[in-house]
């Protein structure tokens, strides 16, 4: 919990958020690899781009949720913003600090005035996305998610809205992204390159 009289100082304009790994089904990992190999995305930055794009599209929804959360905690939205930005783990999880389930999650957030009641949120953009089974077959290692402070704060709010930790949340955003954009954006570019066409191909020419 943050002292309400304390002014937090954020030393940077972006945050490096350590994840260790994500979950996705093999088909989505294949799409991720294709985006890297066929479209020139860097594997180390693509995930940050996907999350930033998601928050860029849905910022208003999560900003409204943040206002409700701040009110439920009896603090200003500005204070809640800063608390969200310092509640991410500052180092990769290890056995010394509790392993993958970061023990300090939520420890730096002012608790809700009524711990048994959470704000009534409208259905989220991820409400209809099927949760990914957290199996070894679906898991791949990742390193760092780098976000600007605004998107990082919104991502932390999304953890409260979806009632899930960071790893399954970002895994959901990855699935959402490919559900929304693979057929509309990625596949047409890959087909066009293979066909040596300046025009994106929205259907497979071999069908």
């Amino acid at each position: 919990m943050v002292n309400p009289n304390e002014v937090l100082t954020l030393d940077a304009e972006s945050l490096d958020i350590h994840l260790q790994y994500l979950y996705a089904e093999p088909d989505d990992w294949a799409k991720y690899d294709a985006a890297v190999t066929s479209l020139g995305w860097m594997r180390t930055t693509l995930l940050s781009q996907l999350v930033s794009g998601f928050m860029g599209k849905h910022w208003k929804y999560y900003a409204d949720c943040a206002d409700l959360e701040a009110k439920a905690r009896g603090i200003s939205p500005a204070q809640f913003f800063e608390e969200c930005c310092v509640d991410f783990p500052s180092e990769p999880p290890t056995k010394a600090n509790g392993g993958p389930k970061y023990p300090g999650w939520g420890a730096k957030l002012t608790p809700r005035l009524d711990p048994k009641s959470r704000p009534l949120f409208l259905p989220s953009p991820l409400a209809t996305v099927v949760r990914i089974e957290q199996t070894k077959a679906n898991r791949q290692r990742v390193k760092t998610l780098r976000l600007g402070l605004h998107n990082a704060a919104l991502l932390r709010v999304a953890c409260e809205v979806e009632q899930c930790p960071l790893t399954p949340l970002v895994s959901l955003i990855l699935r959402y992204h490919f559900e929304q954009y693979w057929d509309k954006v990625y596949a047409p570019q890959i087909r066009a390159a293979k066909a040596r066409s300046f025009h994106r191909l929205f259907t497979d020419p071999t069908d």
Side-chain angles (χ1 to χ4, degrees):
M1 178 177 175
V2 174
N3 185 331
N5 297 318
E6 177 184 358
V7 177
L8 299 178
T9 300
L10 299 174
D11 297 328
E13 295 182 358
S14 63
L15 291 178
D16 287 340
I17 304 166
H18 298 281
L19 288 173
Q20 271 208 331
Y21 51 80
L22 287 182
Y23 293 98
E25 293 185 352
D27 185 55
D28 282 334
W29 283 126
K31 291 174 180 176
Y32 194 95
D33 291 339
V36 172
T37 57
S38 299
L39 298 180
W41 287 98
M42 293 185 64
R43 180 172 294 277
T44 55
T45 59
L46 178 55
L47 186 63
S48 298
Q49 294 284 349
L50 302 190
V51 174
S52 294
F54 176 82
M55 290 305 168
K57 181 176 181 179
H58 299 293
W59 70 268
K60 182 65 168 61
Y61 171 81
Y62 289 108
D64 289 343
C65 292
D67 289 341
L68 293 174
E69 278 285 6
K71 184 176 181 180
R73 297 166 194 271
I75 59 177
S76 70
Q79 182 179 339
F80 186 54
F81 182 106
E82 295 200 337
E83 290 183 10
C84 284
C85 288
V86 299
D87 193 53
F88 290 106
S90 59
E91 59 184 9
T94 64
K95 290 183 179 180
N97 66 20
K101 294 183 179 179
Y102 179 65
W105 187 263
K108 297 181 181 178
L109 297 185
T110 297
R112 298 187 183 108
L113 298 176
D114 181 357
K116 297 182 180 180
S117 177
R118 66 191 299 265
L120 295 176
F121 303 120
L122 295 174
S124 84
L126 298 172
T128 60
V129 180
V130 178
R131 266 49 177 174
I132 300 95
E133 191 174 356
Q134 296 187 24
T135 64
K136 187 175 181 179
N138 289 340
R139 187 174 71 189
Q140 286 197 23
R141 286 192 174 277
V142 295
K143 291 185 178 180
T144 301
L145 182 65
R146 172 167 285 188
L147 298 175
L149 290 185
H150 183 242
N151 285 333
L154 291 174
L155 183 65
R156 185 61 187 83
V157 171
C159 290
E160 297 297 318
V161 174
E162 308 299 338
Q163 299 186 80
C164 68
L166 192 61
T167 292
L169 174 65
V170 177
S171 299
L172 274 181
I173 293 174
L174 179 66
R175 168 170 272 186
Y176 169 93
H177 180 85
F178 285 130
E179 285 181 351
Q180 294 290 314
Y181 300 113
W182 180 258
D183 291 334
K184 298 176 184 177
V185 178
Y186 289 85
Q189 294 181 71
I190 294 172
R191 294 191 195 107
K194 290 181 178 178
R196 301 298 188 263
S197 170
F198 288 104
H199 299 273
R200 293 186 180 188
L201 302 179
F202 292 90
T203 57
D204 191 333
T206 62
D207 288 346

